[in-house]
Amino acid sequence: MTTAYQHLRELHRDAALVKSVGALLAWDQETYMPAGGAAIRAEQSATLATIAHAKATDPRIADLLDECEGHSPLVGDRNSPEARNLHEMRRDYDRATRLPATLVAELARVGSQSQQAWKDARERSDFEAFRPWLEKTLELTREKARCWGAPEGGELYDALIEEYEPGARAAEIERVFTPLGERLSSLVAELLDRGTPPNDAPLKIEIPAERQHAFGLRVLESIGFDLRTGRLDTTTHPFCEGVAPGDTRLTTRYRESSWTDALFGTLHEGGHGLYEQGVPKGENFGEPLGEAVSLGIHESQSRLWENLVGRSREFWQWAQPIAAKTLGDEVGRFSVDELYGAVNLVRRSFIRVEADEATYNLHVMLRFEIERSLVRGDLSPADVPSAWNARFEELFKVPVPDDKRGCLQDVHWSFGLIGYFPTYTLGNLNSAQLWERITADLPDLSQMIARGEFAPLLGWLRERVHAPGRRWTPPELIERLTGRPLSADPLFDYLSTKLRPLYGL
Ligand code: ZN
């Protein structure tokens, strides 16, 4: 290993240390910070972001990269860990330096004002109050995309997706999403119009937060989340923060009248947390090899534990007696089948974050279509509500009552997170396609889950998905692991095979 390569690794580690302090501040802000700390916290975060950006765009990185890229023992085999590490370092450096510091600052400033405007507008369901902010953030986000540039043969929107899902292209996503949307829409219609829904009584039991917390911790430990290098705390909007090596923070929220919310939220964030604990941060902190590869792969891990595991019958075979003991007799009087049925109810709801597995992706597709049209300039911000409502009714067969339950419900667009939504559905697709491979490799997996033996499943994911970090792009990773490019079939087949019998069809 050359000294230049070693030096490059040190610079990345140094930048990551600053970023991890910012992550810790962000976690604190969402959990324990008193309200009075908000103003100074905004300054603290902005100061750290500036230092981190300066470190990420340090001109010494360019020189060291040049030197390493000309050194054949490092890059001779372009698939070696060192060559991939350098390739990704170059990518990050190029993307960071292509954005003028003024644009970065303007995006941050407008983003924080716009987010406040969005909060008020959503509260009052007043799209017109938010429209000027949407126009501003859209303009700045398109400017950012122009700085990065559309990839060869791609469109401007691709430059934005690239930030969250390297290698993904809008046209390719559309090719997979469109047929999936049509099939899901008819599956939902069939279930709700002709099927008999499972009994929702198990979902309606009131359970104190402390018991829910104890149950959540028990489940987390059982699936392999290491509480010596992680925590579970309470917040309003659950998330997972992979702060640094040895420090992964999960958050959840408890609603006493709806105990399964926290359980599935905890399993979801737990899946993210297992991924964060599994990437080789210890040896490669701050380097691409020690980082999660994309949001779509991250989300595949959370959805896999939340849905493929947590909403399976086998999981409830294991969890039912534990739930009876930890949550109480009221839960204990329901059978495995009753619990399994209740957690798989399908509903036509307006809110994405409350959606079940069958309708969830329809919510995402709607957002993908609209934001892509916005970036292309085919749709103006003023026409978002009418475009949203028309498409929603086509997909869900019910009219949107107001913008609060329509185009104002998500925070993303207010601070320029455009190109982010498709990664939710990519995560679902990845999880189902990986699951086909996993169940072929581990034929006894259902029995293991029914016995609460999750280690073989976690071991499979650790070795093949977590350990490579960013060694492969997400499309490469999926193809290497499953033998084919991403397809909608595994997800659709899984949902249809599970849900039709539960609805008596
Ligand atoms: Zn997630």
Side-chain angles (χ1 to χ4, degrees), residues 170-229:
E172 185 59 21
I173 291 174
E174 184 187 1
R175 189 188 62 73
V176 180
F177 278 22
T178 307
L180 176 67
E182 285 159 10
R183 292 162 83 191
L184 283 178
S185 207
S186 10
L187 175 65
V188 170
E190 187 195 349
L191 296 173
L192 298 187
D193 301 342
R194 298 190 13 229
T196 316
N199 183 4
D200 66 355
L203 308 178
K204 295 179 169 167
I205 309 160
E206 293 250 346
I207 296 179
E210 314 80 72
R211 287 200 210 164
Q212 294 190 39
H213 185 72
F215 185 51
L217 282 178
R218 174 70 203 274
V219 170
L220 273 183
E221 278 191 291
S222 304
I223 64 172
F225 183 79
D226 185 352
L227 286 162
R228 288 165 309 172
T229 61

Side-chain angles (χ1 to χ4, degrees), residues 268-269 272 298-299 302-303 424:
H268 181 99
E269 301 310 333
H272 283 304
H298 228 306
E299 193 71 4
S302 55
R303 298 294 271 181
Y424 292 123

